[in-house]
Amino acid sequence: MDLFGTLADKALRCEPLTKDEVLAVLTSSDDDILELVAAGFRVRRHFFGKRVKLNYLVNLKSGLCPEDCTYCSQRVGSRADILKYTWLTPDAALAAAEAGIANGAKRVCLVGSGRGPTEGDVERVGRTISLVKERHPDIEICACFGLLSDGQAERMRDAGADAYSHNLNTAGGRYAEICSTHAYADRVATVELAKKAGLSPCSGLIAGMGETDEDLADIAFALRDLGSESVPVNFLIPFSGTPLGDRWSLTPQRCLRILAMVRFICPDVEVRIAGGREIHLRALQPLGLYLANSVFLGDYLTSEGQEGCKDLQMIEDAGFVVEGADEATLPRDRREPVKVRRRGAGTGLAANA
């Protein structure tokens, strides 16, 4: 059997791929891209049918972040010409969220710039979460406010949040190359705190920052091992005025290979085409739907995306359907990752008894 077919068969059985197999996907020829997409679609269709989950971003607080992430337009020292504003009121946030909900968004992602929320911030966003959830109880709410401290995830959960998003972004071995104000381990710890609080973990990557194929394989394996239930695959948006503003290394075929890699490694979790799809996948955007079962609708945090009506038309034209709020995204019989014990004997945490 051909390589891609073999990898699809392994993914259908939820068998882990080897690193060599993953690298074979990433180094495959552009001439083979349709065969690769077809193999990935077998996996996507098996677990998710032809449903596409729509997610909608609401940027509650934009710009003026003290962190120095080189890819980010909101970083300290950024000269990118972006909107900068402090916290939206709950009513303003609700109005923004309802624009996406009206067009079929099943998940609203509430985001705010900064290293992490203060206690006052948690109270503020809790009011916004509660208001959106009160008006739209069937809509999923994903919070994304940076590094968490103990107890903050629980408070957002109690306000009505369903998930918490915090990307690992790149392989741990090269994280210091893209950020010096916090560490890769800090990001992992935040995802673990969200999981501990009962929030669905959302964590993904950014491609196009100068990483190697080995780096991409490592971050995809790390996201699988972390138990991320939603994996956003971002393609670098090179903002002028940021350190990576001149980094244009991705091709549409490269993006499709990365999406296929993530689908094979994470066969039964939500794989989302996230930031940068319009400028890097370009005319091949519809092919991404054969690998990913989730997309962002409309605009991103500080950049504009494709018009929402065009997103919906693209989904329809490709023969897919928008996932309803009453439909489960993840397969009901999916295999939960083994949870390594972190409490009880040998730790400083109370035993589960």
Side-chain angles (χ1 to χ4, degrees), residues 322-338:
V322 173
E323 183 174 286
D326 59 342
E327 295 180 276
T329 298
L330 299 182
R332 298 186 188 279
D333 59 348
R334 69 184 294 264
R335 302 176 188 180
E336 293 293 337
V338 175

Side-chain angles (χ1 to χ4, degrees), residues 59 172 282:
N59 195 357
R282 299 191 289 279

Side-chain angles (χ1 to χ4, degrees), residues 72 115 136 206 290 328:
C72 185
R115 177 180 177 84
H136 302 279
I206 304 174
Y290 288 82

Side-chain angles (χ1 to χ4, degrees), residues 277-306:
R277 65 176 163 92
E278 299 88 349
I279 60 177
H280 293 298
L281 279 166
R282 299 191 289 279
L284 297 191
Q285 280 189 79
L287 287 183
L289 297 175
Y290 288 82
L291 299 166
N293 62 298
S294 177
V295 297
F296 277 112
L297 175 72
D299 295 338
Y300 303 104
L301 295 177
T302 60
S303 66
E304 293 187 356
Q306 184 169 269

Side-chain angles (χ1 to χ4, degrees), residues 86 88 102 163 172 198 203 214 221 237 320 332 343:
T86 190
L88 296 182
S203 188
E214 289 78 6
F221 282 130
I237 301 175
F320 292 87
R332 298 186 188 279
R343 58 195 175 191

